[in-house]
């Protein structure tokens, strides 16, 4: 496989590349800079990727921030919604034609988006997606993860309607011991430090369902699923609201400045 790691830290990205090359010896892997909190950076990344003339068989949307204090991205979006959701929404849409060209009837291209069990308690405020009325870091994070599930289901609907050989699934990695928790309250950090070995998954364990969704023959041609512990499970009831899926998609297209293809699909 030819793996491209996209991230907003050159040093961490190159270190990951070095480790993978060291462990696999035959692996073809490289790093490309992409800051998902910047629409300009996402577009530049897509240009760089297109210039390589590579096929795109698997796209994993995995970046995120959690419980950050109220602040905005360079485009003026609330950071959880702007980075966790809109960044992935734009990136996926800009790469969609390449995914469609790369997928075949027997080997579909795959889009895997990482959400969280937090989406179960999330509420989508279509009239205030930027959490301007009353900001809660927990509420904003949960809303961004809920939006990712709604986005995945609507995306799969559009892909199916167009007869594309591309599938879209959403993954819940579980509670994983990563740097994602750096903005939580100090008491929570202390509890995490004391219990991580017992209650938290390692990064490798947390990645297992994403890898399953990316390469397993069991999900070949299967899309529109919420996967947890390498099994299909039910997401929050609200995520199956097709009208809400459509409205979020349309609003998201306006926010990132792309055409709304869903209007052409019955």
């Amino acid at each position: 496989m030819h793996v491209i790691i996209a991230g907003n830290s050159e040093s961490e990205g190159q270190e990951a590349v070095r480790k993978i090359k060291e462990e696999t010896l035959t692996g073809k892997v490289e790093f490309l800079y992409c800051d998902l909190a910047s629409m300009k950076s996402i577009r530049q990344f897509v240009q760089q990727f297109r210039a390589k003339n590579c096929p795109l068989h698997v796209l994993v949307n995995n970046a995120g921030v959690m419980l950050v204090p109220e602040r905005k991205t360079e485009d003026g979006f609330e950071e959880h919604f702007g980075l966790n959701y809109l960044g992935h929404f734009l990136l996926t849409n800009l790469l969609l034609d390449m995914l469609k060209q790369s997928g075949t009837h027997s080997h579909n291209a795959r889009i895997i988006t990482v959400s969280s069990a937090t989406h179960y308690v999330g509420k989508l405020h279509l009239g205030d997606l930027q959490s301007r009325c009353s900001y809660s870091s927990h509420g904003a994070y949960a809303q961004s993860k809920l939006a990712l599930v709604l986005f995945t289901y609507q995306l799969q609907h559009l892909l199916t309607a167009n007869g594309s050989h591309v599938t879209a699934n959403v993954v819940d990695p579980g509670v994983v011991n990563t740097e994602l928790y750096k903005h939580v309250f100090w008491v929570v950090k202390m509890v995490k430090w004391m219990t991580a070995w017992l209650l938290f998954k390692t990064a490798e364990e947390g990645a297992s369902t994403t890898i399953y969704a990316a390469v397993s023959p069991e999900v070949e041609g299967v899309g529109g699923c919420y996967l947890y512990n390498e099994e299909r499970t039910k997401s929050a009831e609200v995520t199956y609201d097709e009208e809400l899926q459509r409205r979020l998609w349309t609003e998201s297209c306006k926010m990132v400045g792309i055409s709304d293809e869903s209007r052409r699909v019955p």
Side-chain angles (χ1 to χ4, degrees):
M1 294 187 182
H2 180 179
V3 177
I4 293 178
I5 297 173
N8 67 340
S9 169
E10 182 81 28
S11 59
E12 288 181 17
Q14 295 296 357
E15 177 62 12
V17 167
R18 185 192 66 76
K19 282 184 180 175
I20 293 168
K21 284 184 173 176
E22 197 175 77
E23 288 175 20
T24 63
L25 299 179
T26 56
K28 190 174 183 185
V29 57
E30 59 184 301
F31 172 80
L32 286 181
Y33 183 85
C34 181
D35 181 1
L36 282 170
S38 162
M39 302 291 121
K40 180 182 177 183
S41 178
I42 292 167
R43 291 179 183 279
Q44 287 173 338
F45 166 82
V46 171
Q47 280 185 330
Q48 280 185 289
F49 180 77
R50 285 181 182 280
K52 291 182 175 294
N53 291 316
C54 293
L56 179 56
H57 297 108
V58 179
L59 171 65
V60 179
N61 292 319
N62 185 59
V65 292
M66 183 174 81
L67 308 184
V68 296
E70 185 173 11
R71 60 194 188 199
K72 291 182 171 59
T73 67
E74 68 175 47
D75 302 288
F77 301 124
E78 186 277 316
E79 191 168 5
H80 291 97
F81 196 77
L83 193 161
N84 295 2
Y85 171 65
L86 286 177
H88 289 121
F89 179 86
L90 178 62
L91 179 66
T92 303
N93 274 282
L94 294 181
L95 292 172
L96 213 46
D97 61 333
M98 298 189 75
L99 285 153
K100 289 176 180 177
Q101 289 162 20
S102 303
T104 65
H105 179 70
S106 56
H107 289 92
N108 280 235
R110 304 185 188 190
I111 300 165
I112 298 97
T113 297
V114 180
S115 181
S116 158
T118 315
H119 91 273
Y120 286 106
V121 296
K123 287 189 176 143
L124 195 77
H125 302 285
L126 270 174
D128 184 27
L129 291 170
Q130 304 300 322
S131 304
R132 290 191 180 108
C133 292
S134 71
Y135 181 78
S136 153
S137 59
H138 290 83
Y141 176 69
Q143 176 179 245
S144 71
K145 292 299 179 178
L146 173 60
L148 288 170
V149 183
L150 288 158
F151 153 66
T152 299
Y153 293 167
Q154 176 64 6
L155 175 58
Q156 183 59 56
H157 169 72
L158 297 175
L159 291 167
T160 302
N162 289 323
S164 304
H165 298 307
V166 184
T167 58
N169 288 302
V170 62
V171 165
D172 175 359
V175 184
V176 188
N177 189 13
T178 67
E179 287 297 306
L180 193 61
Y181 296 86
K182 63 185 176 185
H183 292 289
V184 299
F185 192 52
W186 70 269
V187 173
V188 179
K189 282 186 182 174
M190 183 65 72
V191 172
K192 174 182 176 287
W193 179 77
M194 291 188 295
T195 62
W197 64 275
L198 179 65
L199 303 176
F200 285 52
K201 292 181 178 181
T202 63
E204 289 79 9
E205 290 168 338
S208 66
T209 302
T210 298
I211 295 167
Y212 170 81
V215 300
S216 173
E218 291 176 27
V219 287
E220 173 56 49
V222 178
C225 297
Y226 185 85
L227 302 169
Y228 175 64
N229 282 347
E230 299 182 17
E231 291 184 354
R232 297 177 221 179
T233 188
K234 202 167 186 291
S235 54
E237 198 65 45
V238 69
T239 60
Y240 300 102
D241 183 334
E242 293 181 5
E243 177 62 21
L244 187 60
Q245 293 169 15
R246 280 193 293 269
R247 290 176 65 194
L248 174 63
W249 184 280
T250 297
E251 189 59 32
S252 303
C253 288
K254 288 180 192 169
M255 293 170 92
V256 301
I258 61 174
S259 61
D260 183 1
E261 297 299 320
S262 69
R263 293 185 178 277
R264 304 180 196 177
V265 175

